Amino acid sequence: LRAYQQCCAICRLRHDELLEAAHILPDVHPFGEPVVPNGLALCKLHHAAFDANIIGVTPDLEVTVRLDVLQEIDGPMLQHGLQGFQGRRIHVPRADHLKPNRDFLAERYALFRRAS
């Protein structure tokens, strides 16, 4: 979380009690180690949405929202909490060695696309 300056990579929320370290590749994956390049700092909403393949992050660091969720009409939380981040770039650490591993993001994004 320190590498991300204590804020959600997607929405920039800065409340520590609502932030979590999310794995890009899960623990069960051979490269699923708990290291910064295999992680994203996410708020609880975006962590759950990432793990549930409701949102994905491309290797180019852009947020993609699952099509059925983009087309859904609900309320302001859906609109501003998920749909509004479609196509936006995530916030990443400044130091190159702390940035998300592009290969890990590519593999995870492929899983997201298959789940969509």
Side-chain angles (χ1 to χ4, degrees), residues 50 52-59 62-68 70 86 105-116:
F50 184 73
N53 291 313
I54 292 172
I55 58 173
V57 176
T58 72
E62 288 189 7
V63 175
T64 302
V65 180
R66 203 172 66 206
L67 185 59
D68 65 311
L70 272 179
Q86 172 69 18
L105 285 172
E107 186 171 340
R108 178 63 184 258
Y109 190 70
L111 293 171
F112 165 77
R113 298 290 291 164
R114 283 196 295 275
S116 301

Side-chain angles (χ1 to χ4, degrees), residues 5-113:
Q5 300 175 333
Q6 302 300 119
C7 77
C8 177
I10 294 175
C11 69
R12 311 294 199 283
L13 182 72
R14 291 189 176 275
H15 287 268
D16 287 347
E17 63 274 18
L18 297 175
L19 296 176
E20 300 176 334
H23 282 82
I24 296 169
L25 297 176
D27 284 330
V28 297
H29 190 282
F31 296 112
E33 297 178 29
V35 294
V36 177
N38 185 39
L40 299 170
L42 298 175
C43 68
K44 291 178 182 280
L45 171 65
H46 293 125
H47 188 178
F50 184 73
D51 284 352
N53 291 313
I54 292 172
I55 58 173
V57 176
T58 72
D60 293 326
L61 308 176
E62 288 189 7
V63 175
T64 302
V65 180
R66 203 172 66 206
L67 185 59
D68 65 311
V69 175
L70 272 179
Q71 295 173 340
E72 188 177 333
I73 297 173
D74 192 345
M77 187 61 200
L78 179 66
Q79 182 182 7
H80 299 292
L82 295 173
Q83 294 168 333
F85 292 101
Q86 172 69 18
R88 290 200 186 169
R89 289 182 57 82
I90 65 167
H91 165 76
V92 297
R94 291 183 186 190
D96 286 340
H97 73 282
L98 297 175
K99 290 182 179 176
N101 182 302
R102 288 177 55 91
D103 293 335
F104 294 176
L105 285 172
E107 186 171 340
R108 178 63 184 258
Y109 190 70
L111 293 171
F112 165 77
R113 298 290 291 164

